[in-house]
């Protein structure tokens, strides 16, 4: 039946606990024309029969579901990922409604970019470090008096909003120019920068490192760099750090003279 | 907690089969600020413990739920009722999306009219004779390849759309948060970076410098850094370049020893 397509967002579930909810997610994905499901560390392993039982026949997202160890792995080939979370965060990422968020993803998909929607597990939600890998936060306008939204419902509302963007289908706006770099390319950039900063003694005090890393990642992630820009920035990091080497060589030569 | 209000739509479930789904409906009603639940002929009677178990604490719609024998009874005090169904009917009622339908109900509520949303049971849906008692049909834009939408999801999507009309699209916990840094702050960042890159011999060949500078600036500018992020990034540049100094000092000390 439906096939994964680069023009339709991927659904990524981080640490889902209940197979029933994974099945409900598959069902609602099928309802709204989504097919590519990724699972990061499902608590009870994978596959699980209960998921198929609860999918009411929407088996293809489950059959094709892939399992990953980390969110970073799961989004490594994606160019635009929005995290869905009800919780306020210390990050400076834009916060949007499902309507605005899916409209933005629809534009990205229309440009040919590979997109994803990231959801946290039932109890723990998303780690800030995982949200920091995303380009925006989608927050469903829940009544603050009762915030406990079921995972399947959260996916349903976003999938419905996605479908509304497609069903209303304005002609796709093929904007020329390169798309955003993949999650993998961005992670490469981040890790390169963090290695050099570590060497330079930037992360001080050490216990603040995770926080500093996360703030840096979410700050840079907002730019949605192209592949070329990622290469340029890695050149910048290399230049700033290799600068050390060059100056050292000069000094060394001088001392020898 | 939340109270039934004449200014908020009533949710009416016709012949719901699974107590689990009734619980899920109560939960999502609480999520989106609805409280008045009416049940027409629940298959397994009422009350049922499973409903409370599945409501995750959203007990007040269940505690206050009223049971009726017919749809006509359940909506007898309401002035505007929209029926939600995925199936095309022979009726001449207007057919609208959840977005349009809930917007119209919001207008009716604002006029002081008592409104309701009617949903069919899991298997049978709604009878045409019951739909004929309503003023419009809401149809969720399901992918025609997989039309089996869970009852809780159908209520969730309409309740969400209702809430969007009330919440006026602003995420509830949206912090205004820090705005983007000024042009002056950004220029300070750019010039700092460019000075260090110049020192490190990054701009090569020299005639390409203006172009490289411009590409770097536009890449970084896309991120709309906050003031705090600009300070952090200047710290990054300083660390990477001061790294040189530290290493140099060490080397120099070693040579002296």
């Amino acid at each position: 039946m439906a096939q994964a397509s680069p023009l339709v967002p991927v659904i990524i579930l981080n640490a889902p606990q209940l197979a029933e909810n994974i099945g409900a997610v598959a069902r609602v994905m099928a309802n709204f024309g989504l097919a590519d499901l990724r699972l990061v560390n499902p608590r009870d392993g994978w596959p699980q029969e209960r998921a198929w039982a609860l999918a009411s026949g929407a088996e293809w997202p489950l059959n094709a579901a892939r399992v990953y160890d980390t969110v970073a792995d799961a989004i490594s080939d994606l160019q635009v990922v929005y995290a869905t979370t009800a919780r306020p965060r210390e990050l400076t990422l834009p916060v949007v409604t499902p309507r605005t968020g899916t409209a933005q993803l629809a534009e990205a998909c229309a440009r040919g970019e590979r997109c994803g929607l990231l959801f946290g597990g039932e109890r723990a939600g998303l780690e800030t470090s995982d949200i920091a890998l995303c380009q925006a936060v989608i927050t469903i306008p829940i009544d603050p008096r009762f915030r406990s939204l079921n995972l399947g419902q959260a996916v349903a509302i976003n999938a419905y909003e996605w479908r509304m963007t497609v069903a209303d289908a304005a002609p796709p706006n093929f904007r020329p120019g390169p798309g955003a770099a993949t999650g993998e390319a961005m992670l490469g950039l981040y890790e390169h920068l963090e290695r050099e900063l570590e060497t330079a003694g930037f992360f001080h005090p050490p216990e603040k490192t995770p926080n500093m890393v996360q703030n840096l990642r979410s700050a840079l992630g907002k730019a949605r760099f192209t592949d070329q820009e990622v290469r340029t920035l890695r050149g910048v990091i290399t230049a700033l750090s290799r600068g050390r080497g060059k100056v050292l060589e000069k000094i060394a030569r001088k001392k020898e003279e």
Side-chain angles (χ1 to χ4, degrees), chain A:
Chain A
M1 243 173 135
Q3 290 296 313
S5 154
L7 297 179
V8 170
V10 171
I11 299 294
I12 307 123
L13 306 183
N14 184 43
Q17 298 190 298
L18 300 172
E20 286 83 347
N21 281 338
I22 300 173
V25 165
R27 180 176 177 181
V28 82
M29 286 174 66
N31 287 145
F32 295 113
L34 305 178
D36 191 349
L37 175 62
R38 302 181 182 185
L39 308 173
V40 181
N41 282 326
R43 184 190 64 183
D44 301 329
W46 190 256
Q48 292 184 71
E49 269 179 36
R50 287 292 292 158
W52 273 260
L54 268 282
S56 289
E59 297 190 347
W60 60 98
L62 298 174
N63 294 340
R66 277 165 289 175
V67 178
Y68 299 83
D69 288 332
T70 64
V71 168
D73 285 346
I75 68 174
S76 69
D77 63 324
L78 303 181
Q79 293 164 289
V80 185
V81 181
Y82 281 18
T84 297
T85 176
R87 298 184 197 164
R89 300 285 171 174
E90 297 313 307
L91 301 174
T92 58
L93 292 178
V95 177
V96 295
T97 60
R99 184 163 308 164
T100 302
T102 55
Q104 291 173 355
L105 291 181
E107 284 170 21
C109 286
R111 289 194 300 269
E113 295 184 345
R114 291 183 298 280
C115 297
L117 278 161
L118 173 64
F119 297 84
E122 290 88 342
R123 210 151 295 271
L126 291 171
E127 296 289 329
T128 308
S129 59
D130 289 327
I131 299 172
L133 299 173
C134 300
Q135 285 73 53
V137 168
I138 290 179
T139 292
I140 297 172
I142 298 272
D143 188 328
R145 292 170 298 181
F146 190 75
R147 306 192 63 84
S148 163
L149 183 69
N150 170 267
L151 174 59
Q153 308 285 26
V155 176
I157 285 162
N158 281 282
Y160 156 76
E161 282 285 14
W162 160 261
R163 175 110 188 129
M164 286 291 282
T165 71
V166 175
D168 279 356
N173 174 17
F174 284 102
R175 216 190 298 165
T182 62
E184 186 181 17
M186 289 304 292
L187 197 63
L189 170 67
Y190 297 151
E191 290 176 347
H192 183 180
L193 175 61
E194 290 148 18
R195 266 196 314 276
E196 293 299 342
L197 287 173
E198 181 67 46
T199 305
F202 178 77
F203 295 118
H204 183 80
E207 63 271 23
K208 286 205 174 162
T209 302
N211 221 17
M212 294 169 84
V213 160
Q214 164 178 300
N215 289 343
L216 268 176
R217 288 180 176 196
S218 74
L220 293 170
K222 288 189 294 179
R224 307 195 186 187
F225 296 128
T226 64
D227 280 322
Q228 178 54 54
E229 287 170 342
V230 167
R231 280 194 294 275
T232 300
L233 288 168
R234 296 194 63 158
V236 162
I237 297 164
T238 301
L240 290 177
S241 43
R242 189 192 291 160
R244 294 200 281 264
K246 279 193 183 173
V247 179
L248 284 177
E249 278 167 30
K250 266 190 202 165
I251 302 268
R253 269 200 300 276
K254 267 195 181 167
K255 294 243 169 188
E256 278 166 19
E257 282 162 17

